[in-house]
Structure formats: structure tokens, C-alpha cells
Amino acid sequence: NAGVTQTPKFQVLKTGQSMTLQCAQDMNHEYMSWYRQDPGMGLRLIHYSVGAGITDQGEVPNGYNVSRSTTEDFPLRLLSAAPSQTSVYFCASSLGLFETQYFGPGTRLLVL
Amino acid sequence: DQQVKQNSPSLSVQEGRISILNCDYTNSMFDYFLWYKKYPAEGPTFLISISSIKDKNEDGRFTVFLNKSAKHLSLHIVPSQPGDSAVYFCAASEDAGGTSYGKLTFGQGTILTVHP
């Protein structure tokens, strides 16, 4: 099992550019989520999905889109990057409600 | 408004001694609490959890204590080892009628350094 994988590991964008952060899991988990980690803020939930075709907003969803067309993949899209989106992004998955969440290694994003 | 707070940004202890990491919360609807450990350049990994129906949960060297009246939880590591040096996040979740998916609210993290 590869667990939760994220690509790329590091990305530099210019303001206004778009990109997609990839997340995949091979554990057949229904629940997947995206968090961002900023200094002094802990991890904050951006979007989550309780299954293929179902997504919902978390605490800080503005500027991000998600979709869940398969159980395995949960990409996070930045349509027009802003410097405020400079952060480390973590994807997580879990088998079910209140089950342990497994995190990917993170994507470090710098928006200039 | 920070619903989960870890007021100590860092903690330094000697190998073999006890490490105590603290966490306070304000949302009385939280009923499930977790601790995650994070090494640099890696994602957080689950360490231990506790439900609000308990006041203590133990797993090897790690024990989590929950004081619901004080809205406070703590993680005890005994004995501490240099490999425990990492950032520790506490997190909380509310059931919200079973629809919350267990969405986690994290504290800011505490950097633990265990000196040999």
C-alpha cells in the first residue's frame, strides 16, 4: 500500500496562475479531505468528500475547488492563485466517520 | 476564533523524563479528541485519541487525559525519547448528529524537543 500520495512536493506559482494539487489513496477510503497548514494556525480544513461524487466545504474553502469522480482521487484546484494561498497543503483519507485520518506527505506551495 | 488552543509553542525535556503537552478547547460540542505527531517534511500521523465518555486513554508510553469540565486535555509521554522530537497537534471533532464526518479542528501545534 502506498497510502496517501500527493504531487507535486513543491510548486512555485505566479499570482493569477492556476494549478491542480493531486491526491490519491489506495486504501479504498470513502472519506478524503484537504487541509492547509500555516505558521501559528495549525491545520485548517479546506474541502472534504464523504464519497465519490460528494464534496462539501470546510473552514477555509474560498479560492479552491474540488471534485471526486473516483474513490481514489481527490484533486484540489486553485483557479487564480494569490499570495495568501502560500502554504503547505495536506490531503487526508479515512475509512469512515471518526476513523483515523491518514495524511499524505504534503505539497509546499509558494505564490509570488 | 481559535476553538482549539495549544498555548505552548515549544517544550524541551530531557530524555527519560515526562513530557506533558497541553490543549484547551472552547466548543462544548466537541466529543472526540486526537493527538497527531508531525516530523518535518512529512504529513501528520495519528498518535492517540479519546472519546468524551472517557477521561483517560493509554497506549504504551502515551497517555491522554481529558477534563471535560475544564475543557482541557493533555498528552503525557513517559519516558520521553529523542525520537519523540516532533510537532504535536491536538485536534477535536463533534458528532453534529452524525453528519460532521468527524471534521477535525486542529490546535496550532507544540514543538517537542527531547534532549539526549
Side-chain angles (χ1 to χ4, degrees), chain B residues 11-17 19 80-83 85 112-116:
Chain B
L11 175 67
S12 182
V13 301
Q14 208 65 30
E15 181 178 6
R17 299 288 187 99
S19 295
S80 301
Q81 299 173 354
S85 297
L112 173 65
T113 304
V114 180
H115 298 283

Side-chain angles (χ1 to χ4, degrees), chain B residues 71-89:
Chain B
K71 294 190 177 67
H72 177 84
L73 65 154
S74 61
L75 174 68
H76 293 209
I77 306 173
V78 183
S80 301
Q81 299 173 354
D84 296 329
S85 297
V87 180
Y88 289 78
F89 291 99

Side-chain angles (χ1 to χ4, degrees), chain A residues 4-56:
Chain A
V4 180
T5 57
Q6 292 183 238
T7 56
K9 283 189 170 58
F10 180 70
Q11 183 72 46
V12 179
L13 290 179
K14 293 181 180 177
T15 297
Q17 285 185 315
S18 63
M19 80 159 295
T20 300
L21 280 64
Q22 301 292 345
C23 174
Q25 51 90 11
D26 61 359
M27 298 175 282
N28 203 32
H29 285 174
E30 288 293 327
Y31 299 88
M32 297 186 74
S33 50
W34 276 101
Y35 294 85
R36 58 178 288 174
Q37 183 194 5
D38 301 294
M41 299 290 289
L43 283 80
R44 292 180 293 168
L45 182 65
I46 304 171
H47 284 285
Y48 67 98
S49 168
V50 299
I54 307 170
T55 64
D56 205 347

